[in-house]
Amino acid sequence: MNKSELIDAVAGSADLPKAAAGRAIDAMIDAITGSLKKTEPVVLVGFGTFATKDRAARTGRNPRTGVAVQVPEKLVPYFKSG
């Protein structure tokens, strides 16, 4: 299912126009993204949890040249189903 199919499904089940369903889904995605940027988890009981994890620094390889490259530590989002 892609985003437009999700909008169609929400519009059909909630008896909303597609434009309103699209705005609702966009608002939900923006709220989840904003919370994750602040490293606050989003818990939706019965669905799952959106949160962030620290990914440690590591040494990677450039696939074209084979040269070792240092990949820095970073914060990544993850989802755990409920």
Side-chain angles (χ1 to χ4, degrees):
M1 177 180 281
N2 61 29
K3 186 175 177 180
S4 62
E5 292 171 342
L6 179 61
I7 290 170
D8 292 341
V10 169
S13 67
D15 195 29
L16 291 172
K18 287 184 183 181
R23 286 191 305 271
I25 289 173
D26 287 340
M28 182 187 76
I29 291 170
D30 290 342
I32 291 171
T33 303
S35 180
L36 292 179
K37 283 181 180 178
K38 295 185 240 176
T39 66
E40 298 172 352
V42 178
V43 180
L44 303 173
V45 177
F47 181 69
T49 302
F50 295 92
T52 56
K53 283 185 181 179
D54 287 322
R55 182 180 288 168
R58 61 186 172 85
T59 302
R61 293 224 172 262
N62 181 332
R64 216 176 251 179
T65 62
V67 175
V69 178
Q70 191 63 24
V71 180
E73 175 182 309
K74 65 175 151 179
L75 198 62
V76 293
Y78 78 94
F79 176 77
K80 183 177 177 183
S81 62

